Amino acid sequence: MKPSPFDYFAAHTVAEAAEALAAANGDGKIIAGGQSLMPMINFRLVKPTILIDINRIAGLDRIELNGSRLKIGATVRHYMTATNSLIERHVPILHDVMHHVAHMTVRNRGTFCGSVCHADPAAEMPMMTLLLDGTIIAMSVRGERQIPTSEFFTGSLMNALEPDELVTAVEIDTLSPDTGWGFEEFSKRHGDFALACVATTMRIVGGVASEVRFGMMGVGETPLRLVEIQELVEGNALSDAVLDRVAETLSTILTPNTDIHASADYRRHLAGALARRALRDAWKRAELCGGRVHG
Ligand code: FAD
C-alpha cells in the first residue's frame, strides 16, 4: 500500500514540535515509534499532510520516580519499560505486562506514550495507565495541560487531545510493596491483541481486600476501570462466593462487541474466567508481600 503524500519534520525541542503541530491546522501527526501510525498511513486510514518526528528531542526517553509517581517520557520504548529497574521495583505488574505487548521487533520501536495516544481498546498500555490512575502531560503552543486518564479515552482509537497537542509524558502511580497484583490476558497467539484481559491490584488489611483496582480491555470501546467490581471485592476476604458475584456482575455490566475474532458472549465468558484467576493471583501475592513486609 502507498501513503498519500506528506511532509516530514524532525523536531529537536518540544516547542518546535508544538509549533509545527499548530502550523499544520489539525492535519499534522506526531510520529513516535511509528508501529501503529505507519500501517494506518499506508492503508490511507489517516492522511496527515505532515509527520512531526519527536525521536530527536532530548530528555523524552527518561523514566523518573517523583515521590509516589513514575513519569514515563514520550520516547520511552516498550523494551525500555520492560527492562527498567524502577518499574520492576515500584510497579511490578507493569513490568510483567510488557512481555505481553506484541513482539520484540515492535517493542524495540513502539513507545509507551504512543500506545496510550493510539488508544486501542485492546492494547495493554491504555488499560494499565487507567488502572494506575495515570495523568497525561500534553503540550501545545498554549502551554501544558494535564489530563486524568479517566477523561482521556473517549472512544475506540480516540483520545481527548486537541489537534495541536502532543504528549510529553505519562505519569502513573507506584504501588506499595505489600500490594498484590494479577494480570490475565487471552489472545489466540502470543503477542496478538487480547480478546479480553484483566489487570487488578489490592492490599490485604485486617484480613480483607483493600485499595482494590480492577481494569479490563478488549471488552468495550475503551479500556475500562470497573468501580462496581472494586466495590464488590473491597472489604471482603477473597472467597469463591465473592468470585462468583464478580463473574455474575461482569456478565451483566459488560457490553463487548462481536467481531471476526470472538462473539460478545465468548468475551463475556472470558471476562469472568480471567477475573477469577487475576483476583486470586492478586490476593495470593498480597498475602505473600504482606507477610514479608509486616511479618
Ligand atoms: P506511533 O505509531 O508513532 O503513533 C500512534 C498514534 O499515536 C499516532 O496517531 C500518533 O500521531 C500518536 N502519537 C504517538 N506519540 C504521540 C505523542 N507523544 N503525542 C501525541 N500523539 C502521539 N500494542 C499493544 O498494546 N499490544 C499488542 O499486543 C500489540 N501488538 C502489535 C503487533 C504488531 C504486529 C504491531 C505492528 C503493533 C502492535 N501493537 C501492540 C502496537 C504497538 O504497541 C505500538 O507501538 C503502539 O500502539 C503505538 O506506539 P508507537 O510509539 O509506535 O506510536
Side-chain angles (χ1 to χ4, degrees), residues 21 28-40 46 51 54 60 74-78 100-103 106-107 109-120 122-126 159 161 165-169 185 191-194 217:
L21 257 189
K29 277 273 176 202
I30 296 290
I31 180 163
Q35 298 302 297
S36 299
L37 182 60
M38 290 318 296
M40 290 181 79
V46 288
L51 285 192
I54 57 171
L60 292 187
T75 55
V76 170
R77 305 196 189 280
H78 295 317
H100 294 263
V101 177
H103 309 280
V106 174
R107 294 200 291 267
R109 289 299 301 171
T111 64
F112 183 97
C113 292
S115 181
V116 171
C117 291
H118 188 55
D120 189 314
E124 288 85 356
M125 292 313 108
N159 65 44
L161 287 177
E165 284 180 318
L166 72 142
V167 169
T168 56
E185 162 172 323
D192 280 3
F193 283 100
M217 65 169 196

Side-chain angles (χ1 to χ4, degrees), residues 155-293:
S156 179
L157 305 181
M158 290 162 66
N159 65 44
L161 287 177
E162 296 295 335
D164 66 345
E165 284 180 318
L166 72 142
V167 169
T168 56
V170 171
E171 282 180 2
I172 53 171
D173 272 352
T174 55
L175 299 173
S176 63
D178 59 347
T179 303
W181 54 270
F183 177 83
E184 285 289 331
E185 162 172 323
F186 185 83
S187 56
K188 287 188 179 162
R189 296 170 306 182
H190 181 79
D192 280 3
F193 283 100
L195 296 186
C197 173
V198 172
T200 182
T201 67
M202 67 174 79
R203 294 174 63 224
I204 300 176
V205 177
V208 297
S210 163
E211 295 172 38
V212 179
R213 302 176 194 227
F214 187 94
M216 287 206 73
M217 65 169 196
V219 288
E221 291 294 299
T222 62
L224 303 172
R225 179 86 181 262
L226 294 172
V227 178
E228 299 92 326
I229 303 298
Q230 294 174 181
E231 288 174 352
L232 233 164
V233 177
E234 187 89 29
N236 288 298
L238 200 71
S239 62
D240 286 344
V242 171
L243 292 172
D244 287 346
R245 282 209 299 279
V246 166
E248 272 166 36
T249 307
L250 285 173
S251 70
T252 56
I253 61 175
L254 295 179
T255 52
N257 287 330
T258 292
D259 59 24
I260 54 166
H261 303 295
S263 68
D265 278 347
Y266 183 56
R267 283 197 160 94
R268 257 186 236 107
H269 165 76
L270 275 179
L274 298 177
R276 285 175 195 272
R277 287 186 208 160
L279 286 164
R280 274 200 200 103
D281 282 352
W283 178 265
K284 274 190 217 146
R285 285 192 174 101
E287 279 185 322
L288 284 173
C289 300
R292 199 174 62 226
V293 170

